[in-house]
Amino acid sequence: MQNTIAMGKQKTNRSSVHCSPAVEAAKSVKRGKTKRTKKYAEVKRVLSLKDTRIKAIDRDTRKKAKHKKKNPLNMSERHLPQVSSAMYFKYNTQLGPPYHVLIDTNFINFSIKNKIDIIQGMMDCLYAKCIPYITDCVMAELEKLGSKYQVARRIAKDERFMRLPCLHKGTYADDCIVQRVTQHKCYIAATCDKDLKRRIRKVPGVPIMYLQQHRYSIERMPDAYGAPKT
């Protein structure tokens, strides 16, 4: 009996000894999962409609905006550009001989480099009569290039080339060509500039003439039988 009482006192003495916090944490892990506090992301606080800081007028307007239903009869208006009747199909059906070709500055320079007669090359591509058009800004760009491009200026001043007067400021030809092509769907744009081609491709129904395999080729025009097949 005395032995059992002594053993009980020893157990109580051992339990009364203070353990370190690390040991206590380890014991709690052994017993079960530790309690972890939930961490939430910081959210922007919004005032509720019942808050006293909101005025009565603002509260009414917010309630109306919250519970407002869309009326299906009220249709939104959109202003879209008017599409030409010639664009009923994929290609421009009103294009026909004689073709009106609007020429860019670099198209003349590349034609000279590849030793191609501009009017003859166009006729070989389209198998029809072609009338090249040159704007005043293209002529001004050729004059700015200097004496190196004297041959290009002489070709541009040919009597067979039709001149188009420009009313805009400056001598930047790309904007002028894009504007004319969007307004009048009777032109074929002749250029070798990649940026200008990308801009003209956004305008529906405008064929683009360019150089390929030392010949003139044309895109967005299925009737061009003389163009090299890609």
PDB file of all heavy atoms in Angstrom, residues 193-228:
ATOM      1  N   ASP A 193       5.124  48.265-100.397  1.00  0.00           N
ATOM      2  CA  ASP A 193       5.335  48.566 -98.980  1.00  0.00           C
ATOM      3  C   ASP A 193       4.475  47.632 -98.124  1.00  0.00           C
ATOM      4  O   ASP A 193       3.266  47.549 -98.319  1.00  0.00           O
ATOM      5  CB  ASP A 193       4.976  50.022 -98.706  1.00  0.00           C
ATOM      6  CG  ASP A 193       5.391  50.475 -97.319  1.00  0.00           C
ATOM      7  OD1 ASP A 193       6.063  49.697 -96.618  1.00  0.00           O
ATOM      8  OD2 ASP A 193       5.034  51.602 -96.934  1.00  0.00           O
ATOM      9  N   LYS A 194       5.101  46.948 -97.159  1.00  0.00           N
ATOM     10  CA  LYS A 194       4.388  45.976 -96.332  1.00  0.00           C
ATOM     11  C   LYS A 194       3.375  46.659 -95.415  1.00  0.00           C
ATOM     12  O   LYS A 194       2.260  46.150 -95.221  1.00  0.00           O
ATOM     13  CB  LYS A 194       5.384  45.165 -95.494  1.00  0.00           C
ATOM     14  CG  LYS A 194       6.223  44.204 -96.313  1.00  0.00           C
ATOM     15  CD  LYS A 194       7.153  43.407 -95.421  1.00  0.00           C
ATOM     16  CE  LYS A 194       7.991  42.427 -96.244  1.00  0.00           C
ATOM     17  NZ  LYS A 194       8.935  41.668 -95.383  1.00  0.00           N
ATOM     18  N   ASP A 195       3.763  47.788 -94.837  1.00  0.00           N
ATOM     19  CA  ASP A 195       2.843  48.493 -93.930  1.00  0.00           C
ATOM     20  C   ASP A 195       1.616  49.017 -94.679  1.00  0.00           C
ATOM     21  O   ASP A 195       0.489  48.940 -94.173  1.00  0.00           O
ATOM     22  CB  ASP A 195       3.571  49.658 -93.253  1.00  0.00           C
ATOM     23  CG  ASP A 195       4.682  49.179 -92.331  1.00  0.00           C
ATOM     24  OD1 ASP A 195       4.558  48.056 -91.809  1.00  0.00           O
ATOM     25  OD2 ASP A 195       5.671  49.914 -92.145  1.00  0.00           O
ATOM     26  N   LEU A 196       1.843  49.559 -95.868  1.00  0.00           N
ATOM     27  CA  LEU A 196       0.717  50.060 -96.663  1.00  0.00           C
ATOM     28  C   LEU A 196      -0.189  48.916 -97.121  1.00  0.00           C
ATOM     29  O   LEU A 196      -1.420  49.048 -97.134  1.00  0.00           O
ATOM     30  CB  LEU A 196       1.234  50.844 -97.866  1.00  0.00           C
ATOM     31  CG  LEU A 196       0.190  51.509 -98.764  1.00  0.00           C
ATOM     32  CD1 LEU A 196      -0.690  52.449 -97.964  1.00  0.00           C
ATOM     33  CD2 LEU A 196       0.860  52.251 -99.906  1.00  0.00           C
ATOM     34  N   LYS A 197       0.400  47.777 -97.456  1.00  0.00           N
ATOM     35  CA  LYS A 197      -0.409  46.595 -97.827  1.00  0.00           C
ATOM     36  C   LYS A 197      -1.287  46.160 -96.670  1.00  0.00           C
ATOM     37  O   LYS A 197      -2.457  45.809 -96.851  1.00  0.00           O
ATOM     38  CB  LYS A 197       0.526  45.445 -98.219  1.00  0.00           C
ATOM     39  CG  LYS A 197       0.988  45.464 -99.658  1.00  0.00           C
ATOM     40  CD  LYS A 197       1.574  44.093 -99.957  1.00  0.00           C
ATOM     41  CE  LYS A 197       2.724  44.227-100.904  1.00  0.00           C
ATOM     42  NZ  LYS A 197       3.410  42.949-101.100  1.00  0.00           N
ATOM     43  N   ARG A 198      -0.708  46.158 -95.458  1.00  0.00           N
ATOM     44  CA  ARG A 198      -1.465  45.749 -94.278  1.00  0.00           C
ATOM     45  C   ARG A 198      -2.644  46.693 -94.027  1.00  0.00           C
ATOM     46  O   ARG A 198      -3.732  46.252 -93.636  1.00  0.00           O
ATOM     47  CB  ARG A 198      -0.528  45.738 -93.068  1.00  0.00           C
ATOM     48  CG  ARG A 198      -1.069  44.952 -91.887  1.00  0.00           C
ATOM     49  CD  ARG A 198      -0.110  44.951 -90.718  1.00  0.00           C
ATOM     50  NE  ARG A 198       1.145  44.307 -91.033  1.00  0.00           N
ATOM     51  CZ  ARG A 198       2.335  44.916 -91.083  1.00  0.00           C
ATOM     52  NH1 ARG A 198       2.435  46.208 -90.844  1.00  0.00           N
ATOM     53  NH2 ARG A 198       3.433  44.252 -91.359  1.00  0.00           N
ATOM     54  N   ARG A 199      -2.441  47.966 -94.261  1.00  0.00           N
ATOM     55  CA  ARG A 199      -3.533  48.933 -94.079  1.00  0.00           C
ATOM     56  C   ARG A 199      -4.611  48.785 -95.143  1.00  0.00           C
ATOM     57  O   ARG A 199      -5.803  48.890 -94.844  1.00  0.00           O
ATOM     58  CB  ARG A 199      -2.959  50.354 -94.098  1.00  0.00           C
ATOM     59  CG  ARG A 199      -2.139  50.701 -92.882  1.00  0.00           C
ATOM     60  CD  ARG A 199      -1.530  52.092 -93.004  1.00  0.00           C
ATOM     61  NE  ARG A 199      -2.556  53.131 -92.997  1.00  0.00           N
ATOM     62  CZ  ARG A 199      -2.290  54.427 -93.132  1.00  0.00           C
ATOM     63  NH1 ARG A 199      -1.033  54.828 -93.296  1.00  0.00           N
ATOM     64  NH2 ARG A 199      -3.262  55.307 -93.115  1.00  0.00           N
ATOM     65  N   ILE A 200      -4.200  48.526 -96.391  1.00  0.00           N
ATOM     66  CA  ILE A 200      -5.186  48.406 -97.474  1.00  0.00           C
ATOM     67  C   ILE A 200      -5.974  47.105 -97.341  1.00  0.00           C
ATOM     68  O   ILE A 200      -7.150  47.055 -97.735  1.00  0.00           O
ATOM     69  CB  ILE A 200      -4.480  48.493 -98.845  1.00  0.00           C
ATOM     70  CG1 ILE A 200      -3.893  49.896 -99.041  1.00  0.00           C
ATOM     71  CG2 ILE A 200      -5.437  48.194 -99.992  1.00  0.00           C
ATOM     72  CD1 ILE A 200      -2.980  50.023-100.236  1.00  0.00           C
ATOM     73  N   ARG A 201      -5.371  46.062 -96.783  1.00  0.00           N
ATOM     74  CA  ARG A 201      -6.085  44.788 -96.614  1.00  0.00           C
ATOM     75  C   ARG A 201      -7.273  44.925 -95.665  1.00  0.00           C
ATOM     76  O   ARG A 201      -8.210  44.119 -95.726  1.00  0.00           O
ATOM     77  CB  ARG A 201      -5.123  43.718 -96.088  1.00  0.00           C
ATOM     78  CG  ARG A 201      -4.213  43.149 -97.164  1.00  0.00           C
ATOM     79  CD  ARG A 201      -3.457  41.929 -96.691  1.00  0.00           C
ATOM     80  NE  ARG A 201      -2.420  41.539 -97.638  1.00  0.00           N
ATOM     81  CZ  ARG A 201      -1.120  41.689 -97.435  1.00  0.00           C
ATOM     82  NH1 ARG A 201      -0.677  42.221 -96.297  1.00  0.00           N
ATOM     83  NH2 ARG A 201      -0.243  41.313 -98.344  1.00  0.00           N
ATOM     84  N   LYS A 202      -7.238  45.911 -94.792  1.00  0.00           N
ATOM     85  CA  LYS A 202      -8.371  46.140 -93.883  1.00  0.00           C
ATOM     86  C   LYS A 202      -9.571  46.753 -94.602  1.00  0.00           C
ATOM     87  O   LYS A 202     -10.686  46.702 -94.085  1.00  0.00           O
ATOM     88  CB  LYS A 202      -7.925  47.046 -92.739  1.00  0.00           C
ATOM     89  CG  LYS A 202      -6.903  46.406 -91.812  1.00  0.00           C
ATOM     90  CD  LYS A 202      -6.446  47.371 -90.739  1.00  0.00           C
ATOM     91  CE  LYS A 202      -5.377  46.736 -89.861  1.00  0.00           C
ATOM     92  NZ  LYS A 202      -4.873  47.688 -88.836  1.00  0.00           N
ATOM     93  N   VAL A 203      -9.324  47.335 -95.770  1.00  0.00           N
ATOM     94  CA  VAL A 203     -10.412  47.916 -96.566  1.00  0.00           C
ATOM     95  C   VAL A 203     -10.951  46.834 -97.496  1.00  0.00           C
ATOM     96  O   VAL A 203     -10.200  46.298 -98.321  1.00  0.00           O
ATOM     97  CB  VAL A 203      -9.912  49.126 -97.387  1.00  0.00           C
ATOM     98  CG1 VAL A 203     -11.063  49.767 -98.148  1.00  0.00           C
ATOM     99  CG2 VAL A 203      -9.224  50.136 -96.499  1.00  0.00           C
ATOM    100  N   PRO A 204     -12.209  46.461 -97.392  1.00  0.00           N
ATOM    101  CA  PRO A 204     -12.725  45.365 -98.232  1.00  0.00           C
ATOM    102  C   PRO A 204     -12.875  45.777 -99.687  1.00  0.00           C
ATOM    103  O   PRO A 204     -13.248  46.913 -99.997  1.00  0.00           O
ATOM    104  CB  PRO A 204     -14.087  45.048 -97.607  1.00  0.00           C
ATOM    105  CG  PRO A 204     -14.484  46.292 -96.908  1.00  0.00           C
ATOM    106  CD  PRO A 204     -13.233  46.963 -96.468  1.00  0.00           C
ATOM    107  N   GLY A 205     -12.568  44.831-100.590  1.00  0.00           N
ATOM    108  CA  GLY A 205     -12.826  45.019-102.012  1.00  0.00           C
ATOM    109  C   GLY A 205     -11.799  45.825-102.767  1.00  0.00           C
ATOM    110  O   GLY A 205     -12.100  46.321-103.843  1.00  0.00           O
ATOM    111  N   VAL A 206     -10.567  45.964-102.228  1.00  0.00           N
ATOM    112  CA  VAL A 206      -9.514  46.731-102.910  1.00  0.00           C
ATOM    113  C   VAL A 206      -8.386  45.771-103.269  1.00  0.00           C
ATOM    114  O   VAL A 206      -7.668  45.294-102.388  1.00  0.00           O
ATOM    115  CB  VAL A 206      -8.987  47.874-102.021  1.00  0.00           C
ATOM    116  CG1 VAL A 206      -7.920  48.672-102.779  1.00  0.00           C
ATOM    117  CG2 VAL A 206     -10.114  48.782-101.588  1.00  0.00           C
ATOM    118  N   PRO A 207      -8.189  45.462-104.566  1.00  0.00           N
ATOM    119  CA  PRO A 207      -7.072  44.601-104.965  1.00  0.00           C
ATOM    120  C   PRO A 207      -5.732  45.325-104.793  1.00  0.00           C
ATOM    121  O   PRO A 207      -5.646  46.551-104.884  1.00  0.00           O
ATOM    122  CB  PRO A 207      -7.344  44.294-106.437  1.00  0.00           C
ATOM    123  CG  PRO A 207      -8.766  44.676-106.662  1.00  0.00           C
ATOM    124  CD  PRO A 207      -9.067  45.765-105.695  1.00  0.00           C
ATOM    125  N   ILE A 208      -4.671  44.541-104.529  1.00  0.00           N
ATOM    126  CA  ILE A 208      -3.331  45.091-104.314  1.00  0.00           C
ATOM    127  C   ILE A 208      -2.397  44.479-105.348  1.00  0.00           C
ATOM    128  O   ILE A 208      -2.270  43.254-105.434  1.00  0.00           O
ATOM    129  CB  ILE A 208      -2.829  44.788-102.893  1.00  0.00           C
ATOM    130  CG1 ILE A 208      -3.797  45.360-101.855  1.00  0.00           C
ATOM    131  CG2 ILE A 208      -1.435  45.369-102.682  1.00  0.00           C
ATOM    132  CD1 ILE A 208      -3.533  44.899-100.442  1.00  0.00           C
ATOM    133  N   MET A 209      -1.736  45.330-106.116  1.00  0.00           N
ATOM    134  CA  MET A 209      -0.750  44.890-107.111  1.00  0.00           C
ATOM    135  C   MET A 209       0.645  45.070-106.522  1.00  0.00           C
ATOM    136  O   MET A 209       0.939  46.095-105.910  1.00  0.00           O
ATOM    137  CB  MET A 209      -0.903  45.691-108.402  1.00  0.00           C
ATOM    138  CG  MET A 209      -0.050  45.185-109.552  1.00  0.00           C
ATOM    139  SD  MET A 209      -0.314  46.120-111.083  1.00  0.00           S
ATOM    140  CE  MET A 209      -1.854  45.411-111.637  1.00  0.00           C
ATOM    141  N   TYR A 210       1.506  44.068-106.735  1.00  0.00           N
ATOM    142  CA  TYR A 210       2.863  44.100-106.192  1.00  0.00           C
ATOM    143  C   TYR A 210       3.777  43.292-107.099  1.00  0.00           C
ATOM    144  O   TYR A 210       3.314  42.676-108.078  1.00  0.00           O
ATOM    145  CB  TYR A 210       2.885  43.538-104.762  1.00  0.00           C
ATOM    146  CG  TYR A 210       2.367  42.124-104.647  1.00  0.00           C
ATOM    147  CD1 TYR A 210       3.230  41.034-104.657  1.00  0.00           C
ATOM    148  CD2 TYR A 210       1.002  41.877-104.536  1.00  0.00           C
ATOM    149  CE1 TYR A 210       2.751  39.736-104.557  1.00  0.00           C
ATOM    150  CE2 TYR A 210       0.511  40.598-104.445  1.00  0.00           C
ATOM    151  CZ  TYR A 210       1.401  39.528-104.448  1.00  0.00           C
ATOM    152  OH  TYR A 210       0.924  38.260-104.357  1.00  0.00           O
ATOM    153  N   LEU A 211       5.070  43.287-106.790  1.00  0.00           N
ATOM    154  CA  LEU A 211       6.046  42.562-107.604  1.00  0.00           C
ATOM    155  C   LEU A 211       6.328  41.190-107.006  1.00  0.00           C
ATOM    156  O   LEU A 211       6.510  41.058-105.788  1.00  0.00           O
ATOM    157  CB  LEU A 211       7.358  43.349-107.705  1.00  0.00           C
ATOM    158  CG  LEU A 211       7.489  44.265-108.922  1.00  0.00           C
ATOM    159  CD1 LEU A 211       6.833  45.597-108.615  1.00  0.00           C
ATOM    160  CD2 LEU A 211       8.932  44.479-109.297  1.00  0.00           C
ATOM    161  N   GLN A 212       6.348  40.181-107.874  1.00  0.00           N
ATOM    162  CA  GLN A 212       6.666  38.816-107.457  1.00  0.00           C
ATOM    163  C   GLN A 212       7.277  38.070-108.631  1.00  0.00           C
ATOM    164  O   GLN A 212       6.715  38.084-109.739  1.00  0.00           O
ATOM    165  CB  GLN A 212       5.389  38.099-106.970  1.00  0.00           C
ATOM    166  CG  GLN A 212       5.662  36.716-106.393  1.00  0.00           C
ATOM    167  CD  GLN A 212       4.384  36.009-106.000  1.00  0.00           C
ATOM    168  OE1 GLN A 212       3.287  36.441-106.375  1.00  0.00           O
ATOM    169  NE2 GLN A 212       4.503  34.932-105.261  1.00  0.00           N
ATOM    170  N   GLN A 213       8.440  37.468-108.420  1.00  0.00           N
ATOM    171  CA  GLN A 213       9.149  36.703-109.450  1.00  0.00           C
ATOM    172  C   GLN A 213       9.428  37.566-110.691  1.00  0.00           C
ATOM    173  O   GLN A 213       9.232  37.142-111.833  1.00  0.00           O
ATOM    174  CB  GLN A 213       8.343  35.454-109.844  1.00  0.00           C
ATOM    175  CG  GLN A 213       8.085  34.507-108.694  1.00  0.00           C
ATOM    176  CD  GLN A 213       7.155  33.375-109.058  1.00  0.00           C
ATOM    177  OE1 GLN A 213       6.820  33.193-110.237  1.00  0.00           O
ATOM    178  NE2 GLN A 213       6.729  32.595-108.079  1.00  0.00           N
ATOM    179  N   HIS A 214       9.851  38.814-110.446  1.00  0.00           N
ATOM    180  CA  HIS A 214      10.183  39.781-111.506  1.00  0.00           C
ATOM    181  C   HIS A 214       8.985  40.058-112.432  1.00  0.00           C
ATOM    182  O   HIS A 214       9.170  40.382-113.600  1.00  0.00           O
ATOM    183  CB  HIS A 214      11.387  39.282-112.333  1.00  0.00           C
ATOM    184  CG  HIS A 214      12.596  39.031-111.494  1.00  0.00           C
ATOM    185  ND1 HIS A 214      13.395  40.041-111.014  1.00  0.00           N
ATOM    186  CD2 HIS A 214      13.139  37.868-111.032  1.00  0.00           C
ATOM    187  CE1 HIS A 214      14.388  39.517-110.312  1.00  0.00           C
ATOM    188  NE2 HIS A 214      14.252  38.208-110.295  1.00  0.00           N
ATOM    189  N   ARG A 215       7.784  39.907-111.888  1.00  0.00           N
ATOM    190  CA  ARG A 215       6.554  40.196-112.630  1.00  0.00           C
ATOM    191  C   ARG A 215       5.559  40.845-111.684  1.00  0.00           C
ATOM    192  O   ARG A 215       5.700  40.760-110.459  1.00  0.00           O
ATOM    193  CB  ARG A 215       5.939  38.902-113.186  1.00  0.00           C
ATOM    194  CG  ARG A 215       6.721  38.272-114.327  1.00  0.00           C
ATOM    195  CD  ARG A 215       6.141  36.912-114.659  1.00  0.00           C
ATOM    196  NE  ARG A 215       4.750  37.008-115.110  1.00  0.00           N
ATOM    197  CZ  ARG A 215       3.959  35.961-115.297  1.00  0.00           C
ATOM    198  NH1 ARG A 215       4.417  34.733-115.057  1.00  0.00           N
ATOM    199  NH2 ARG A 215       2.731  36.130-115.735  1.00  0.00           N
ATOM    200  N   TYR A 216       4.546  41.463-112.262  1.00  0.00           N
ATOM    201  CA  TYR A 216       3.474  42.025-111.454  1.00  0.00           C
ATOM    202  C   TYR A 216       2.489  40.930-111.086  1.00  0.00           C
ATOM    203  O   TYR A 216       2.082  40.122-111.938  1.00  0.00           O
ATOM    204  CB  TYR A 216       2.736  43.130-112.202  1.00  0.00           C
ATOM    205  CG  TYR A 216       3.536  44.390-112.406  1.00  0.00           C
ATOM    206  CD1 TYR A 216       3.229  45.277-113.426  1.00  0.00           C
ATOM    207  CD2 TYR A 216       4.605  44.712-111.566  1.00  0.00           C
ATOM    208  CE1 TYR A 216       3.957  46.438-113.615  1.00  0.00           C
ATOM    209  CE2 TYR A 216       5.339  45.857-111.747  1.00  0.00           C
ATOM    210  CZ  TYR A 216       5.014  46.727-112.779  1.00  0.00           C
ATOM    211  OH  TYR A 216       5.742  47.865-112.954  1.00  0.00           O
ATOM    212  N   SER A 217       2.102  40.917-109.818  1.00  0.00           N
ATOM    213  CA  SER A 217       1.074  39.993-109.334  1.00  0.00           C
ATOM    214  C   SER A 217       0.018  40.805-108.595  1.00  0.00           C
ATOM    215  O   SER A 217       0.255  41.965-108.228  1.00  0.00           O
ATOM    216  CB  SER A 217       1.680  38.943-108.400  1.00  0.00           C
ATOM    217  OG  SER A 217       0.687  38.020-107.988  1.00  0.00           O
ATOM    218  N   ILE A 218      -1.128  40.208-108.407  1.00  0.00           N
ATOM    219  CA  ILE A 218      -2.239  40.928-107.773  1.00  0.00           C
ATOM    220  C   ILE A 218      -2.985  39.984-106.842  1.00  0.00           C
ATOM    221  O   ILE A 218      -3.120  38.786-107.116  1.00  0.00           O
ATOM    222  CB  ILE A 218      -3.177  41.533-108.853  1.00  0.00           C
ATOM    223  CG1 ILE A 218      -4.118  42.569-108.242  1.00  0.00           C
ATOM    224  CG2 ILE A 218      -3.948  40.457-109.587  1.00  0.00           C
ATOM    225  CD1 ILE A 218      -4.768  43.471-109.260  1.00  0.00           C
ATOM    226  N   GLU A 219      -3.436  40.508-105.742  1.00  0.00           N
ATOM    227  CA  GLU A 219      -4.211  39.715-104.782  1.00  0.00           C
ATOM    228  C   GLU A 219      -5.608  40.312-104.639  1.00  0.00           C
ATOM    229  O   GLU A 219      -5.850  41.470-104.956  1.00  0.00           O
ATOM    230  CB  GLU A 219      -3.515  39.671-103.422  1.00  0.00           C
ATOM    231  CG  GLU A 219      -3.377  40.993-102.723  1.00  0.00           C
ATOM    232  CD  GLU A 219      -2.707  40.869-101.368  1.00  0.00           C
ATOM    233  OE1 GLU A 219      -1.632  40.265-101.287  1.00  0.00           O
ATOM    234  OE2 GLU A 219      -3.268  41.409-100.399  1.00  0.00           O
ATOM    235  N   ARG A 220      -6.534  39.454-104.176  1.00  0.00           N
ATOM    236  CA  ARG A 220      -7.951  39.816-104.004  1.00  0.00           C
ATOM    237  C   ARG A 220      -8.617  40.147-105.337  1.00  0.00           C
ATOM    238  O   ARG A 220      -9.494  40.996-105.407  1.00  0.00           O
ATOM    239  CB  ARG A 220      -8.090  41.003-103.038  1.00  0.00           C
ATOM    240  CG  ARG A 220      -7.539  40.725-101.665  1.00  0.00           C
ATOM    241  CD  ARG A 220      -7.354  41.977-100.862  1.00  0.00           C
ATOM    242  NE  ARG A 220      -8.601  42.382-100.226  1.00  0.00           N
ATOM    243  CZ  ARG A 220      -8.699  43.437 -99.420  1.00  0.00           C
ATOM    244  NH1 ARG A 220      -7.654  44.188 -99.192  1.00  0.00           N
ATOM    245  NH2 ARG A 220      -9.851  43.740 -98.867  1.00  0.00           N
ATOM    246  N   MET A 221      -8.179  39.438-106.379  1.00  0.00           N
ATOM    247  CA  MET A 221      -8.805  39.630-107.687  1.00  0.00           C
ATOM    248  C   MET A 221      -8.700  38.315-108.452  1.00  0.00           C
ATOM    249  O   MET A 221      -7.638  37.963-108.957  1.00  0.00           O
ATOM    250  CB  MET A 221      -8.111  40.750-108.444  1.00  0.00           C
ATOM    251  CG  MET A 221      -8.888  41.227-109.657  1.00  0.00           C
ATOM    252  SD  MET A 221      -8.209  42.761-110.264  1.00  0.00           S
ATOM    253  CE  MET A 221      -9.300  43.055-111.631  1.00  0.00           C
ATOM    254  N   PRO A 222      -9.771  37.537-108.561  1.00  0.00           N
ATOM    255  CA  PRO A 222      -9.672  36.208-109.182  1.00  0.00           C
ATOM    256  C   PRO A 222      -9.550  36.254-110.698  1.00  0.00           C
ATOM    257  O   PRO A 222      -9.142  35.271-111.306  1.00  0.00           O
ATOM    258  CB  PRO A 222     -10.999  35.547-108.761  1.00  0.00           C
ATOM    259  CG  PRO A 222     -11.934  36.678-108.543  1.00  0.00           C
ATOM    260  CD  PRO A 222     -11.124  37.832-108.053  1.00  0.00           C
ATOM    261  N   ASP A 223      -9.897  37.378-111.344  1.00  0.00           N
ATOM    262  CA  ASP A 223      -9.876  37.452-112.806  1.00  0.00           C
ATOM    263  C   ASP A 223      -8.500  37.764-113.376  1.00  0.00           C
ATOM    264  O   ASP A 223      -8.368  37.892-114.591  1.00  0.00           O
ATOM    265  CB  ASP A 223     -10.865  38.529-113.290  1.00  0.00           C
ATOM    266  CG  ASP A 223     -12.293  38.175-112.912  1.00  0.00           C
ATOM    267  OD1 ASP A 223     -12.566  36.975-112.716  1.00  0.00           O
ATOM    268  OD2 ASP A 223     -13.128  39.095-112.787  1.00  0.00           O
ATOM    269  N   ALA A 224      -7.491  37.909-112.523  1.00  0.00           N
ATOM    270  CA  ALA A 224      -6.138  38.226-112.992  1.00  0.00           C
ATOM    271  C   ALA A 224      -5.448  36.929-113.429  1.00  0.00           C
ATOM    272  O   ALA A 224      -4.752  36.297-112.644  1.00  0.00           O
ATOM    273  CB  ALA A 224      -5.357  38.927-111.905  1.00  0.00           C
ATOM    274  N   TYR A 225      -5.665  36.544-114.666  1.00  0.00           N
ATOM    275  CA  TYR A 225      -5.117  35.268-115.161  1.00  0.00           C
ATOM    276  C   TYR A 225      -3.633  35.371-115.499  1.00  0.00           C
ATOM    277  O   TYR A 225      -2.935  34.365-115.586  1.00  0.00           O
ATOM    278  CB  TYR A 225      -5.896  34.809-116.390  1.00  0.00           C
ATOM    279  CG  TYR A 225      -7.371  34.584-116.086  1.00  0.00           C
ATOM    280  CD1 TYR A 225      -8.327  35.452-116.605  1.00  0.00           C
ATOM    281  CD2 TYR A 225      -7.786  33.538-115.306  1.00  0.00           C
ATOM    282  CE1 TYR A 225      -9.675  35.275-116.348  1.00  0.00           C
ATOM    283  CE2 TYR A 225      -9.134  33.348-115.029  1.00  0.00           C
ATOM    284  CZ  TYR A 225     -10.072  34.219-115.556  1.00  0.00           C
ATOM    285  OH  TYR A 225     -11.413  34.027-115.267  1.00  0.00           O
ATOM    286  N   GLY A 226      -3.137  36.597-115.702  1.00  0.00           N
ATOM    287  CA  GLY A 226      -1.743  36.757-116.047  1.00  0.00           C
ATOM    288  C   GLY A 226      -0.805  36.787-114.861  1.00  0.00           C
ATOM    289  O   GLY A 226       0.409  36.754-115.022  1.00  0.00           O
ATOM    290  N   ALA A 227      -1.355  36.869-113.657  1.00  0.00           N
ATOM    291  CA  ALA A 227      -0.530  36.921-112.442  1.00  0.00           C
ATOM    292  C   ALA A 227       0.092  35.557-112.184  1.00  0.00           C
ATOM    293  O   ALA A 227      -0.542  34.511-112.431  1.00  0.00           O
ATOM    294  CB  ALA A 227      -1.377  37.333-111.255  1.00  0.00           C
ATOM    295  N   PRO A 228       1.347  35.515-111.683  1.00  0.00           N
ATOM    296  CA  PRO A 228       1.975  34.212-111.386  1.00  0.00           C
ATOM    297  C   PRO A 228       1.252  33.499-110.251  1.00  0.00           C
ATOM    298  O   PRO A 228       0.878  34.115-109.261  1.00  0.00           O
ATOM    299  CB  PRO A 228       3.405  34.595-110.985  1.00  0.00           C
ATOM    300  CG  PRO A 228       3.347  36.020-110.598  1.00  0.00           C
ATOM    301  CD  PRO A 228       2.240  36.631-111.404  1.00  0.00           C
TER     302      PRO A 228
END
